């Protein structure tokens, strides 16, 4: 075994019956391998032990076995790798009788001797015959149909079988034999990696597919799928870090935690099960006692270096770490001074195996050696047993320092350690420190940890202030699913009593409940205003600012005239730095107001500054939201590629932390519909709707439905768009939202209604929305409504006025900086010009207008829209010019306009349709028909149709 590799014991290796975790984090790798096999190529899967190679290999083999007549399999083990020809016997033993007659006598004899052991056969004596026999056998099988050779754990293949298989693989040429193999490797480098020799022994068309570590979100999904769904996100984060993203290691850690009666204490590494400790203990036993103690100190440190180890009393640190590196326990990098373990699991197993007194001694040494005050305090806590007010005070100071540095997760961990070491009668007491730690956990995006700590505090009587703060944490941790914690509100109000400071906290959360659960903006605004008054009375500026920001946000969305004044109050001094940049603070309210007032450049500057600040402070939830806000701004500005990147980043962070996933999916859907994949946009929008419905989130449900309506419209599903957007209309009407700039869905609904043949209803939507947009001065909304009305007019045959309105809308949207909406107006212009009635034969398809639309969409990187333009041009180019209608002899005496009208009546066109196609008014059509009746001596349209029928009968 190569030093540094990890041997997976078969007693807990992946079960062959398990395949459900394949789709978790392996979609890209699996798809690449599947595509390669489908086109007749071979695949070499590679990656470290436990990474999931065997699972992928088994699933691919099972999938292809359904269509491949012959599947040959072998799976080597380390204990059997010394037996010659064993893997070859696994592969060809079952088909020997089938192919033996097709082999020359010398080849048949050599192969039978190797596979059955009935005679002496070696590569030295029968090398050429054996090599040719394996090649001939595979060709004989391929003559009956495609062959798939499946070989797992190539690193344990006996040398004889590996040589023979490689010889044949390199010479198969066009023979329909594919190899699907897996080999263990430790390094991801393409050049000089371990799998190179295996790749050289594979067919020339082999594709090497590396399976890498899973992300934290993927590890979380894997643990949930395997039944370990009750673990807090902070614990899942530790599992991901300790496992290094290795699915097998993660599952073993999850199992151990699920079976453990007591979870690890804050600041302590995860307990490592015996099954995983065994992977590294054999090499740890080869270390000297002193070297092992040095590694224990390194495993206890956050960023161990030789200098730190020296300061902690490890005088021979260099020699001892060099010995560990030789055994593969440490990674070596000349440019990296830190002592780094080859895998996080080695550090965790070493720490878990050490007796508690040795661990405390390591932390005691580091508590004086570490230069960072936060690290010194953490080590002091882990070296101390029982309560100690001095240790608790140092930990609380370190937590405050971590908070100021923008590391709220570290602050939460230190705060919990401080609470553990705080004597019950101290001031502040242990529960107050626990609540503070829970609030830090909320900021860090760890709602599960925050909720658990807060509920622990609430199990005791406690002081009213601590209890109300704990209730607030429980409510905050619920996120958008605030309806799930309805029972907390009456209890929080009871604990608050008549204390205005505590009541302000509760009424602020009641404002959110009114908004999210009931969808009542007016009630939410009243609750927020009440909370602001209570907070001002109590001198609680932080809560007052949050309540004012909420009030301003609600007033903005309602179209309330007092919104600017409320924003001004929320921005007035004195300010609270953390509230100022919070996603529910005044900065966020001002950003929303700027966007709704078409001040996109200012909005971008504002949200960029807010994003920078929350990243500096480690405010995870605010970062998720501000990334989404910035994506929204870029999308309005027509920077679709940038918007897509930001929306995807926001959604990834949201899923990783379990924060705002519905809102993230909503914005990602809009970005995908503009600049990515329309099918993915629809899928994401449906996910957003599902999540917000599950959370009972009335606020984001309408936004999610608006995204679904927009994505459906872009995908060509106008009826689906109407269904979704009509629900949005009902929800916003019920919530009292009148500002059309909030979701900007009205233009999409009108367009979808036109496409589904309901222009009158579309016009109603436009007129109602226009009244609100005019009252509030929403210029971009008015321009989009004009674009939609142009489509209504075109449907009615009023093409000239439609063209005029579209051109005006495009110009105004360009002036306001709405690049994508401008491009959509240009596209509508091109479509209308291409379809204009009376277009002379040979006049072209309006490709010049389409070229302009394509240019604008290309500038926006709006790929889905660009594809629509290309499809429209292709359709117009392939469309034959309409033949002039046959004119019966009876019509010969009519004037040109009269003949055209009569001919269209013969085709079954209505007066409105005739007006649209001839670019005249309906009244003109009616007057022309009256003249036609008189000249032809007939009384109605039916008589004209009879004339046409008589012509056809002749």
């Amino acid at each position: 075994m190569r030093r540094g590799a990890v041997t997976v014991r078969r007693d807990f290796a992946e079960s062959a019956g398990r395949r459900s975790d394949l789709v978790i984090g392996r979609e890209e790798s699996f798809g690449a391998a599947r595509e390669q096999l489908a086109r007749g190529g071979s695949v070499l899967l590679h990656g470290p032990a436990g990474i999931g190679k065997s699972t992928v290999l088994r699933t691919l083999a099972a999938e292809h076995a359904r269509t491949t007549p012959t599947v040959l399999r072998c799976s080597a083990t380390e204990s059997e790798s010394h037996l010659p020809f064993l893997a070859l016997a696994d592969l060809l033993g079952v088909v020997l009788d089938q192919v033996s007659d097709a082999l020359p006598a010398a080849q048949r004899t050599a192969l039978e001797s190797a596979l059955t052991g009935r005679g002496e056969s070696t590569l030295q004596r029968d090398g050429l015959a054996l090599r040719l026999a394996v090649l001939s056998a595979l060709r004989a099988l391929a003559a009956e149909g495609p062959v798939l050779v499946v070989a797992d754990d190539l690193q344990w293949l006996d040398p004889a079988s590996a040589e023979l298989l490689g010889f044949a693989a390199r010479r198969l040429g066009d023979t329909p034999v594919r190899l699907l193999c897996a080999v263990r490797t430790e390094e991801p480098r393409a050049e000089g990696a371990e799998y190179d020799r295996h790749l050289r022994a594979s067919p020339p068309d082999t594709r090497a597919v590396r399976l890498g570590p899973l992300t934290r979100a993927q590890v979380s999904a894997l643990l949930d799928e395997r039944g370990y769904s009750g673990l807090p996100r902070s614990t899942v984060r530790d599992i991901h870090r300790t496992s290094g993203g290795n699915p097998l290691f993660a599952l073993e850690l999850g199992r151990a935690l699920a079976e453990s009666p007591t979870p690890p204490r804050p600041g302590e590494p995860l307990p490592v099960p015996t099954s995983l400790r065994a992977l590294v203990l054999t090499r740890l036993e080869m270390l000297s006692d002193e070297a092992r103690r040095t590694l224990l100190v390194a495993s206890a440190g956050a960023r161990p270096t030789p200098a730190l180890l020296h300061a902690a009393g490890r005088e021979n640190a260099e020699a001892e770490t060099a010995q560990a590196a030789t055994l593969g326990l440490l990674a070596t990098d000349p440019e990296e001074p830190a002592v780094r373990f080859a895998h996080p699991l080695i550090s965790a197993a070493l720490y878990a195996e050490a007796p508690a007194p040795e661990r405390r001694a390591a932390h005691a040494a580091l508590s004086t050696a570490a230069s960072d005050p936060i690290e010194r305090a953490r080590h002091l806590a882990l070296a101390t047993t029982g309560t100690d007010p001095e240790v608790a005070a140092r930990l609380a100071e370190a937590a405050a320092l971590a908070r100021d540095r923008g590391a709220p997760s570290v602050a939460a961990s230190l705060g919990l350690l401080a609470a553990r070491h705080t004597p019950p009668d101290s001031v502040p007491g242990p529960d107050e420190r626990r609540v503070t730690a829970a609030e830090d956990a909320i900021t860090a995006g760890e709602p599960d940890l925050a909720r658990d700590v807060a509920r622990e505090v609430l199990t005791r009587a406690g002081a009213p202030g601590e209890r109300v703060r704990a209730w607030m944490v429980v409510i905050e941790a619920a996120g958008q699913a605030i309806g799930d914690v309805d029972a907390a509100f009456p209890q929080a109000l009871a604990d608050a009593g008549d204390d205005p400071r505590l009541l302000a906290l509760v009424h602020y959360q009641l404002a959110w409940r009114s908004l999210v659960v009931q969808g009542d903006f007016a009630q939410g605004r009243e609750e927020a205003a009440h909370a602001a008054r209570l907070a001002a009375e109590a001198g609680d500026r932080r809560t007052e600012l949050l309540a004012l920001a909420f009030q301003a946000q609600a007033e903005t969305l309602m179209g309330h005239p007092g919104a600017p004044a409320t924003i001004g109050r929320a921005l007035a001094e004195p300010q609270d730095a953390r509230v100022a940049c919070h996603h529910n603070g005044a900065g966020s309210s001002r950003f929303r107001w700027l966007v709704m007032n078409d001040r996109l450049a200012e909005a971008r500057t504002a949200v960029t500054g807010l994003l920078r600040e929350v990243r500096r402070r480690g405010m995870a939830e605010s970062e998720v939201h501000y990334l989404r806000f910035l994506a929204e701004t870029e999308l309005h500005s027509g920077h679709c590629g940038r918007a897509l990147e930001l929306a995807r980043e926001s959604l990834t962070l949201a899923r990783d932390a379990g924060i705002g996933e519905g809102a993230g999916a909503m914005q990602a859907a809009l970005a995908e519909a503009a600049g990515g994949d329309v099918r993915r946009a629809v899928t994401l929008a449906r996910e957003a709707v599902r999540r917000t419905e599950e959370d009972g989130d009335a606020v984001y449900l309408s936004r999610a439905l608006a995204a679904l309506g927009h994505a459906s419209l872009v995908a060509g599903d106008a009826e689906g768009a109407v269904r979704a957007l009509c629900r949005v209309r009902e929800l916003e009407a019920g919530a009292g939202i009148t500002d059309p700039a909030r979701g900007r869905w009205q233009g999409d609904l009108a367009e979808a209604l036109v496409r589904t043949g309901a222009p009158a209803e579309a016009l109603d939507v436009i007129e109602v929305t226009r009244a609100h947009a005019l009252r509030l001065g929403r210029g971009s909304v008015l321009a989009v409504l004009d674009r939609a009305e142009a489509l209504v007019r075109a449907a009615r045959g009023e093409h000239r006025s439609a063209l005029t309105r579209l051109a005006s809308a495009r110009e105004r949207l360009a002036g306001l900086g709405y690049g994508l909406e401008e491009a959509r107006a240009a596209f509508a212009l091109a479509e209308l010009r291409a379809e204009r009635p009376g277009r002379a034969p040979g006049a072209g398809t309006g490709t010049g207008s389409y070229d302009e639309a394509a240019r604008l969409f290309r500038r926006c990187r709006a790929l889905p829209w660009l594809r629509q333009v290309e499809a429209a041009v292709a359709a117009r180019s392939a469309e034959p010019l309409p033949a002039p209608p046959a004119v019966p002899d009876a019509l010969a005496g009519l004037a040109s306009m009269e003949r055209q009208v009569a001919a269209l009546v013969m085709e079954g066109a209505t007066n409105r349709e005739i007006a649209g196609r001839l670019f005249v008014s309906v009244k003109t059509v009616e007057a022309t028909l009256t003249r036609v009746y008189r000249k032809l001596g007939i009384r109605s349209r039916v008589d004209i149709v009879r004339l046409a029928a008589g012509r056809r009968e002749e």
Side-chain angles (χ1 to χ4, degrees):
M1 182 181 71
R2 188 185 70 86
R3 287 179 174 175
V6 178
T7 303
V8 178
R9 284 171 45 188
R10 291 291 175 178
D11 58 348
F12 69 97
E14 300 143 295
S15 165
R18 283 277 192 176
R19 294 212 310 265
S20 56
D21 58 324
L22 175 63
V23 297
I24 299 173
R26 297 293 178 230
E27 296 86 351
E28 184 175 348
S29 301
F30 186 74
R34 174 192 278 152
E35 180 183 342
Q36 175 73 357
L37 290 171
R39 60 171 171 250
S42 295
V43 172
L44 178 65
L45 304 169
H46 65 103
I51 205 68
K53 302 180 299 299
S54 296
T55 303
V56 174
L57 180 134
R58 282 192 301 268
T59 306
L60 284 168
E63 183 178 285
H64 286 272
R66 292 192 289 268
T67 56
T68 303
T70 303
V71 179
L72 309 177
R73 305 172 189 268
C74 71
S75 183
T77 63
E78 184 178 12
S79 61
E80 298 170 343
S81 60
H82 66 285
L83 300 174
F85 305 120
L86 182 60
L88 190 66
D90 287 341
L91 288 170
L92 297 179
V94 294
V95 295
L96 180 59
D97 293 341
Q98 182 181 342
V99 300
S100 59
D101 291 343
L103 304 181
Q107 294 180 22
R108 182 169 61 248
T109 300
L111 185 59
E112 287 176 348
S113 297
L115 298 185
T116 63
R118 288 196 293 265
E120 287 287 334
S121 181
T122 64
L123 280 178
Q124 286 73 24
R125 193 182 73 182
D126 302 320
L128 182 59
L130 268 175
R131 287 173 170 84
L132 292 175
V134 173
L135 179 59
S136 298
L138 291 173
R139 285 173 173 166
L141 291 169
E144 304 297 324
V147 176
L148 179 65
V149 177
V150 181
D152 199 2
D153 282 321
L154 282 185
Q155 73 277 3
W156 304 135
L157 230 63
D158 63 273
S161 296
E163 169 62 25
L164 293 170
L165 187 60
F167 176 87
R170 291 190 295 272
R171 289 164 176 80
L172 285 169
D174 295 332
T175 307
V177 176
R178 293 166 295 171
L179 270 66
L180 173 59
C181 305
V183 63
R184 180 181 304 176
T185 57
E186 297 298 330
E187 295 295 332
R189 296 188 301 272
E191 296 296 329
E194 297 170 46
Y195 69 86
D196 272 1
R197 64 185 180 90
H198 297 288
L199 197 58
R200 287 194 297 270
S202 302
D205 63 347
T206 298
R207 178 171 184 174
V209 177
R210 178 174 177 82
L211 301 185
L214 301 181
T215 66
R216 185 166 70 173
Q218 290 163 351
V219 165
S220 177
L222 177 62
L223 291 167
D224 286 346
E225 189 274 333
R226 291 297 179 90
Y228 308 131
S229 55
L231 299 172
R233 289 187 181 273
S234 56
T235 302
V236 173
R237 178 196 62 201
D238 292 340
I239 289 175
H240 177 256
R241 183 178 61 244
T242 303
S243 68
N246 185 297
L248 177 62
F249 299 169
L251 288 171
E252 284 295 297
L253 289 167
R255 180 180 60 79
L257 281 166
E259 295 174 355
S260 174
T262 56
R265 295 186 299 178
E268 290 186 346
L270 295 176
V272 180
T274 304
S275 57
L276 292 184
R277 292 189 203 183
L279 299 182
V280 295
L281 289 182
T282 52
R283 278 175 286 157
L284 287 173
E285 290 170 357
M286 301 171 67
L287 288 171
S288 66
D289 289 343
E290 290 301 312
R292 188 164 178 164
R293 291 191 185 96
T294 295
L295 286 198
L296 175 61
V297 174
S299 71
R303 292 173 297 278
T305 62
L308 178 64
L309 295 176
H310 273 292
R314 309 311 303 167
E315 297 177 357
N316 299 315
E318 286 86 352
E320 290 159 355
T321 54
Q323 180 189 1
T326 303
L327 293 171
L329 295 166
L330 296 178
T332 56
D333 187 346
E335 298 180 0
E336 176 57 59
V339 176
R340 185 167 59 88
F341 285 89
H343 192 281
L345 182 65
I346 297 173
S347 173
L350 173 65
Y351 188 92
E353 190 68 14
E358 290 187 16
R359 281 189 265 178
R360 286 197 295 272
H363 286 296
L366 289 168
S367 69
T368 57
S371 59
D372 185 80
I374 292 176
E375 276 302 293
R376 288 200 301 271
R378 184 179 75 88
H379 289 302
L380 179 62
L382 295 174
T384 305
T385 57
T387 60
D388 186 321
E390 183 179 344
V391 171
R394 285 185 58 183
L395 284 163
E397 291 170 3
L401 180 58
R403 197 177 301 122
D404 291 341
R405 287 183 180 179
S409 179
V410 175
S413 177
L414 292 168
L416 291 175
L417 284 171
R420 194 175 86 202
H421 290 288
T422 301
D425 56 351
S426 294
V427 178
D431 278 344
E432 183 173 350
R433 281 178 167 153
R434 286 189 182 94
V435 173
T436 302
E439 291 167 345
D440 284 328
I442 286 287
T443 302
E446 299 180 7
D448 293 343
L449 174 63
R451 182 188 58 247
D452 292 346
V453 172
R455 289 201 179 279
E456 179 189 349
V457 171
L458 290 167
T459 59
R460 296 179 284 276
E466 294 167 5
R467 290 186 61 80
V468 171
R469 285 174 62 197
W471 284 122
M472 297 304 98
V473 169
V474 170
I475 293 168
E476 286 275 0
Q480 298 303 117
I482 193 172
D484 292 348
V485 292
D486 258 357
F489 288 99
Q491 298 181 69
L493 283 170
D495 286 332
D498 57 0
D499 186 329
R501 182 178 62 86
L502 301 180
L503 284 171
L505 292 172
V506 182
H507 281 281
Y508 172 68
Q509 293 296 347
L510 281 169
W512 279 107
R513 184 189 177 280
S514 298
L515 195 65
V516 174
V517 178
Q518 298 172 300
D520 190 335
F521 277 69
Q523 178 63 30
R525 173 181 175 273
E526 290 302 318
E527 288 283 5
H530 184 45
R533 289 192 294 271
L534 287 167
E537 178 186 342
D540 180 359
R541 183 61 172 163
R542 180 181 186 278
T543 303
E544 181 187 8
L545 289 170
L546 283 170
L548 286 171
F550 181 101
Q551 182 183 343
Q553 184 96 322
E555 289 174 350
T556 299
L557 297 177
M558 293 168 64
H560 193 285
T566 308
I567 292 174
R569 289 172 61 200
L571 290 170
E573 295 295 339
Q575 283 290 313
D576 181 296
R578 296 186 71 82
V579 173
C581 65
H582 193 276
H583 62 278
N584 289 328
S588 176
S589 298
R590 179 175 177 271
F591 159 79
R592 178 59 54 202
W593 186 85
L594 288 170
V595 169
M596 295 175 74
N597 282 274
D598 299 327
R599 293 160 66 171
L600 296 181
E602 292 176 73
R604 182 186 295 106
T605 300
V607 75
T608 301
L610 290 166
L611 178 60
R612 186 185 309 113
E613 182 63 14
V614 297
R615 279 176 166 167
R616 187 184 71 80
R617 292 179 176 272
M619 300 168 69
E621 184 174 5
S622 293
E623 180 181 359
V624 168
H625 286 292
Y626 285 139
L627 281 169
R628 181 167 54 82
F629 291 173
L630 186 54
E632 177 188 351
T633 308
E634 297 293 4
L635 200 56
H636 287 321
S637 302
H639 305 150
C640 300
R642 175 64 175 153
L644 187 59
E645 293 172 2
L646 290 163
R648 286 174 175 174
E649 183 181 356
S650 176
L651 181 57
T652 298
L653 289 177
R655 286 178 169 161
D656 194 32
I659 297 170
E661 294 178 78
M666 175 271 297
Q667 189 60 52
L670 293 172
E672 290 284 354
D677 185 322
V678 178
R679 288 175 298 180
R680 178 166 168 75
V682 173
T683 299
L684 284 167
R686 286 176 178 156
E687 177 193 340
V689 171
R690 175 179 58 78
R691 286 187 181 278
T692 51
E693 286 179 332
E694 289 173 353
D695 290 343
D697 182 355
V699 174
Y700 273 110
L701 176 57
S702 63
R703 297 291 304 275
L705 285 165
L708 178 58
H710 178 76
S712 299
L713 184 65
V714 178
D717 180 11
E719 292 181 354
V722 169
R723 285 194 299 272
L725 296 174
C726 283
R727 281 191 67 192
V728 178
R729 180 170 57 181
E730 294 170 7
L731 287 169
E732 294 204 350
I737 300 172
T738 60
D739 194 329
R742 188 243 179 178
R744 300 175 183 269
W745 49 267
Q746 297 85 353
D748 283 343
L749 175 56
E751 183 174 337
L753 286 168
V754 171
R755 291 190 189 182
T756 56
E761 187 178 350
L763 191 58
D764 288 341
V765 171
I766 292 167
E767 289 175 347
V768 169
T769 307
R770 182 177 283 133
H772 291 301
L774 284 168
R775 174 175 60 86
L776 297 167
R778 304 296 188 236
S780 62
V781 174
L782 289 168
V784 168
L785 291 175
D786 280 357
R787 186 185 68 205
E789 186 177 345
L791 301 179
V792 174
R793 293 185 179 225
R796 291 178 168 181
E798 302 169 16
H799 282 66
R800 285 196 180 91
S801 62
L803 287 168
T804 301
R805 194 165 287 263
L806 273 175
S808 172
R810 177 191 165 182
E811 183 178 347
R812 285 146 55 206
L813 288 166
L816 290 168
Y818 285 79
L820 182 58
E821 298 296 350
E822 176 199 357
R824 286 180 65 180
F827 186 24
L829 269 170
E831 290 279 79
L832 192 56
R833 285 169 177 159
E835 294 173 359
R836 66 188 184 277
R839 189 181 64 197
T845 59
T847 54
S849 296
Y850 281 123
D851 287 344
E852 175 63 5
R855 182 187 70 80
L856 292 173
F857 282 132
R858 196 173 292 113
R859 183 184 68 184
C860 294
R861 290 181 61 188
L863 301 182
W865 289 101
L866 187 59
R867 285 190 284 268
Q868 286 194 33
V869 174
E870 292 168 350
V873 171
R876 296 291 176 197
S877 300
E879 183 181 276
L881 291 174
V887 180
D889 294 340
L891 304 186
L894 299 178
S896 173
M897 173 63 77
E898 295 166 349
R899 280 201 307 273
Q900 290 183 62
V901 170
L904 290 171
V905 169
M906 290 177 179
E907 293 178 6
T910 66
N911 286 3
R912 186 172 296 281
E913 289 169 343
I914 295 170
R917 292 176 66 176
L918 297 183
F919 220 95
V920 296
S921 69
V922 175
K923 288 184 178 180
T924 300
V925 174
E926 292 170 350
T928 304
L929 277 175
T930 300
R931 293 195 301 273
V932 170
Y933 298 157
R934 185 174 63 251
K935 288 184 178 181
L936 296 180
I938 59 179
R939 297 183 178 182
S940 68
R941 296 167 61 91
V942 175
D943 293 328
I944 296 180
V945 174
R946 285 174 179 162
L947 283 173
R951 177 72 176 176
R952 285 193 293 271
E953 288 172 2
E954 294 173 7

